[in-house]
Amino acid sequence: MKNHFELFGLAPAYALDAERLDRAYRDIQANIHPDRFAHAGDAERRASMQWTTQVNEAYRTLKSPLRRAGYLLEMNGVDTGFETNTAMPPEFLVEQMELREKLEGSRDAVALGLIEKDLLNRKRTIEAQIAECIDGRHDYKSASDLVRKFMFLEKLGGYIAAAHDLVETRTPEA
């Protein structure tokens, strides 16, 4: 079986051409989509469904920077242990606490927008560092540490989205 990158005709790399991935995905889907096999035999329909499931999973993995990084680390023999290894440098944890305090103190969309902008900048920086570690230096240990940081930032992004929802649902006081 091909790895996810081979499936889409891409070189295994963290930095990838998203348009090329999307095109390859659409091309494959056009050939294997279950609708094309509606009048085929049971075996062909099952095979189409299995291929569609595999292609969709591969696409979701490569489309997501976080999942793509984890997949590349696994491909290179790194046991990421993301679920169990949550140790982080103290300075990073302090930054996370400060960001969460800012978030908890934000009561309007403007303040949340500023926090969100800061978060996006931090995520871009870490993504560039992950790309350098994986693609440039093949330093998978450092990349693994950065991916764990990225996971923290993604989680914080979810909290920001929830805070936006709360701000939007509040009714102004009379």
Side-chain angles (χ1 to χ4, degrees), residues 56-70:
N56 287 340
E57 177 59 26
Y59 179 73
R60 279 191 299 273
T61 297
L62 297 186
K63 193 76 173 165
S64 161
L66 191 56
R67 292 179 69 182
R68 182 172 61 248

Side-chain angles (χ1 to χ4, degrees), residues 1-21:
M1 182 175 148
K2 295 180 178 184
N3 71 45
H4 294 348
F5 293 95
E6 291 171 342
L7 181 64
F8 296 111
L10 301 169
Y14 182 75
L16 57 75
D17 182 342
E19 287 182 27
R20 189 168 167 209
L21 172 63

Side-chain angles (χ1 to χ4, degrees), residues 93-112:
L93 293 175
V94 168
E95 286 177 19
Q96 294 305 296
M97 287 173 38
E98 289 170 355
L99 282 170
R100 290 192 91 169
E101 286 173 7
K102 274 187 195 176
L103 180 59
E104 289 170 6
S106 297
R107 300 287 180 240
D108 62 68
V110 173
L112 288 172

